[in-house]
């Protein structure tokens, strides 16, 4: 799998309420030269976005409970912070309404969850290389 | 949670499935291969992704021990006398100095006879010390454990390494087996592997059998064991123990009879021609 040309200074934020997912993505992308921060909930993510310019943010749509769409708040904040930040939204609950709102907010990729690691990595590195 | 625990083997949500390996002449289960899966609903759910992470973080030793521990704990509760095939990275055999003792202790804890265990050495795209791994293989075989080499035929196992490791079983890569009934090149590779196995005293497992016609070729070449979706998909152990065959295999009786006949044949150099 190609990792593209990623410098060690690239910063990633992973926003997901599942500990296993945060651990897996932090471990994997950390080994591939990214500095990875994690947030388990929306407010934590918003604070981190306010403090740091991330090159890429991966956010789950539903961060608390089964009906929340707090991932969209994370995207909105990331977009406001920097137009250069790439944003990936992950969701197992994709609808046309969610698609529409995510695109309006400027999401770069909307991926169905679970996305196998290699495919997710390909998406990340292709966005960082673009 | 410290990284070296692989987040408590992914927060206790990693699972293990089993797939039967059948003795073709008897159409009976010879062994179950243990196959790890990451936590459901995560990017590491499937085995390829799980081990992509394991290898990227160089946690093969830790992962192999976790998998073996879970597989044997599960196996000890199963109503079967079949063997269990456990996957191990060659780098683990090379670098984990306590591996033989760990395996022995785990088998003793679960009251499983070492002769029911097959260590399947995976292909790994990384150089390893063949002599060191061969020494560990000898230790394991001395304990009664059998050794298999996984994915033989298209990848990194060269003849020199195969001969040095002297395995009990060679598992033929599914990319050689799948479609062999209609592909003369695949059949040529199969015959070559049969000759290698015969000369080093190893038995063969044909992986990835999905079609009746391919099973017929495999049986005709006197390959003793088979594994694949034609027989059964990976599943929870209790389920595959009870139901090793996903459905009635067409021509099973005829295939079984041919396999028995080929095994009784005195000359391997005149197998059934396809």
């Amino acid at each position: 799998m190609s990792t593209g040309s990623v410098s060690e200074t690239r910063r990633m934020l992973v926003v997901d309420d599942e500990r296993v997912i945060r651990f897996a993505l932090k471990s994997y992308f950390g080994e591939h030269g990214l500095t990875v921060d994690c947030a388990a909930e929306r407010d934590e993510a918003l604070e981190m976005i306010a403090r740091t310019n991330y090159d890429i943010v991966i956010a789950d749509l539903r961060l608390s409970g089964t009906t929340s769409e707090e991932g969209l708040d994370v995207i909105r904040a990331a977009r406001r912070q920097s137009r250069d930040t790439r944003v990936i939204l992950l969701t197992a609950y994709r609808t046309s309404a969610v698609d529409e709102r995510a695109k309006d907010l400027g999401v770069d990729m909307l991926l169905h969850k679970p996305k196998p690691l290699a495919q997710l990595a390909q998406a990340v590195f292709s966005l960082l290389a673009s | 949670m410290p990284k070296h625990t692989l987040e408590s083997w992914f927060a206790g949500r990693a699972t293990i499935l089993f797939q039967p390996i059948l003795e073709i002449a008897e159409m009976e289960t010879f062994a179950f291969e243990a196959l790890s899966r990451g936590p459901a609903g995560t990017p590491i759910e499937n085995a390829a992704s799980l081990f992509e992470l394991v290898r990227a973080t160089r946690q093969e030793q830790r992962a192999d021990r976790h998998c073996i521990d879970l597989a044997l704990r599960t196996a000890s509760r199963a109503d079967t006398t079949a063997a269990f095939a456990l996957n191990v990275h060659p780098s683990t055999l090379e670098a984990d100095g306590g591996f033989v003792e760990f395996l022995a202790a785990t088998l003793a804890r679960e009251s499983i006879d070492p002769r029911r265990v097959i260590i399947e050495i995976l292909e790994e795209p990384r150089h390893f010390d063949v002599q060191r791994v061969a020494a560990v293989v000898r230790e394991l075989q001395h304990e009664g454990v059998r050794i298999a080499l996984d994915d033989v035929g298209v990848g990194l196992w060269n003849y020199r390494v195969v001969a040095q490791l002297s395995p009990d079983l060679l598992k033929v890569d599914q990319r050689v087996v799948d479609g062999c009934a209609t592909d003369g090149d695949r059949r040529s590779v199969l015959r070559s592997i049969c000759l290698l196995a015969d000369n080093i005293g190893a038995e063969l497992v044909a992986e990835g059998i999905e079609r009746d016609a391919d099973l017929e070729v495999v049986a005709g070449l006197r390959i003793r064991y088979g594994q694949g979706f034609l027989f059964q998909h990976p599943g929870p152990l209790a389920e595959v123990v009870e139901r090793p065959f996903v459905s009635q295999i067409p021509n099973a009786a005829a295939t079984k009879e041919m396999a028995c006949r080929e095994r009784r044949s005195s000359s391997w150099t005149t197998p059934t021609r396809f």
Side-chain angles (χ1 to χ4, degrees):
Chain A
M1 183 195 68
S2 167
T3 61
S5 54
V6 177
S7 78
E8 287 188 12
T9 58
R10 297 290 188 114
R11 297 194 70 112
M12 168 187 275
L13 176 64
V14 174
V15 188
D16 199 300
D17 57 350
E18 276 201 68
R19 174 181 137 208
V20 168
I21 293 176
R22 296 196 304 274
F23 168 75
L25 298 189
K26 183 178 173 75
S27 300
Y28 184 80
F29 288 109
E31 290 295 333
H32 282 83
L34 275 69
T35 299
V36 184
D37 294 331
C38 294
E41 51 188 20
R42 180 192 61 182
D43 290 349
E44 186 184 4
L46 296 184
E47 281 174 23
M48 295 172 92
I49 288 169
R51 285 200 306 268
T52 306
N53 271 340
Y54 289 101
D55 296 284
I56 187 162
V57 175
I58 300 177
D60 187 18
L61 174 67
R62 296 192 175 183
L63 291 172
S64 57
T66 57
T67 59
S68 82
E69 294 183 340
E70 291 170 339
L72 294 176
D73 296 337
V74 173
I75 294 174
R76 187 179 296 111
R79 273 279 165 268
R80 281 183 184 155
Q81 182 73 0
S82 168
R83 292 169 64 93
D84 295 329
T85 301
R86 306 267 70 88
V87 186
I88 294 175
L89 184 68
L90 296 175
T91 181
Y93 307 99
R94 194 168 174 174
T95 64
S96 51
V98 166
D99 276 17
E100 189 106 9
R101 290 170 64 195
K103 282 172 190 166
D104 285 345
L105 288 171
V107 71
D108 291 289
M109 281 191 191
L110 180 59
L111 300 176
H112 187 263
K113 192 179 177 183
K115 181 64 72 176
L117 184 59
Q119 292 177 35
L120 182 57
Q122 200 160 39
V124 166
F125 294 124
S126 71
L127 284 177
L128 288 175
S130 64
Chain B
M1 189 74 63
K3 175 182 171 182
H4 69 269
T5 67
L6 284 183
E7 281 285 285
S8 274
W9 194 232
F10 306 108
R13 289 170 52 199
T15 57
I16 200 133
L17 302 180
F18 293 82
Q19 187 176 33
I21 301 171
L22 282 88
E23 179 157 10
I24 294 171
E26 303 297 326
M27 285 296 176
E28 283 179 4
T29 305
F30 155 67
F32 294 97
E33 181 181 357
L35 300 163
S36 296
R37 297 290 184 266
T42 71
I44 52 170
E45 179 175 355
N46 70 46
S49 296
L50 173 64
F51 285 96
E52 172 84 23
L53 175 64
V54 165
R55 288 169 190 149
T57 54
R58 292 175 297 281
Q59 295 289 302
E60 291 91 339
Q61 292 178 41
R62 178 67 60 180
D64 287 348
R65 284 197 179 209
H66 274 295
C67 293
I68 287 171
D69 182 81
L70 181 56
L72 292 177
R73 271 193 281 125
T74 308
S76 68
R77 297 191 291 265
D79 183 19
T80 178
T81 56
F84 288 91
L86 310 172
N87 290 307
V88 176
H89 291 83
S91 57
T92 294
L93 298 179
E94 177 190 27
D96 185 345
F99 180 79
V100 175
E101 289 73 24
F102 156 76
L103 180 63
T106 308
L107 291 172
R109 185 192 75 203
E110 302 300 338
S111 302
I112 294 174
D113 189 328
R115 290 171 297 180
R116 288 181 63 203
V117 171
I118 302 163
I119 292 295
E120 271 195 39
I121 305 179
L122 300 170
E123 266 199 306
E124 192 173 8
R126 191 197 295 188
H127 174 78
F128 62 90
D129 182 337
V130 178
Q131 284 192 324
R132 170 67 192 140
V133 172
V136 177
V137 162
R138 297 289 91 75
E139 271 190 85
L140 290 167
Q141 289 173 323
H142 182 71
E143 297 296 321
V145 174
R146 279 170 286 188
I147 303 296
L149 299 187
D150 197 22
D151 293 340
V152 172
V154 298
L156 303 172
W157 295 119
N158 62 57
Y159 280 26
R160 180 182 68 87
V161 172
V162 170
Q164 277 186 275
L165 295 181
S166 192
D168 302 282
L169 295 147
L170 298 178
K171 296 192 79 182
V172 184
D173 194 294
Q174 66 178 48
R175 286 166 288 181
V176 176
V177 175
D178 188 32
C180 62
T182 54
D183 185 332
D185 291 341
R186 281 182 165 83
R187 292 197 298 279
S188 296
V189 172
L190 272 177
R191 289 192 199 100
S192 166
I193 297 172
C194 287
L195 181 58
L196 170 63
D198 205 49
N199 284 335
I200 67 171
E203 295 280 9
L204 287 170
V205 179
E207 296 187 290
I209 300 176
E210 297 188 8
R211 299 170 233 260
D212 310 322
D214 293 338
L215 174 59
E216 220 176 293
V217 170
V218 164
L221 287 171
R222 282 193 295 257
I223 293 173
R224 187 167 181 179
Y225 303 111
Q227 182 178 359
F229 292 167
L230 181 67
F231 307 119
Q232 183 57 280
H233 292 248
L237 184 56
E239 288 180 20
V240 296
V241 164
E242 185 165 325
R243 196 168 174 238
F245 296 97
V246 64
S247 61
Q248 190 70 23
I249 298 174
N251 301 319
T255 303
K256 185 175 166 177
E257 189 191 326
M258 176 171 57
C260 288
R261 192 173 63 238
E262 292 297 339
R263 287 192 64 79
R264 283 195 300 269
S265 167
S266 60
S267 167
W268 101 270
T269 57
T270 54
T272 305
R273 299 292 177 191
F274 290 94

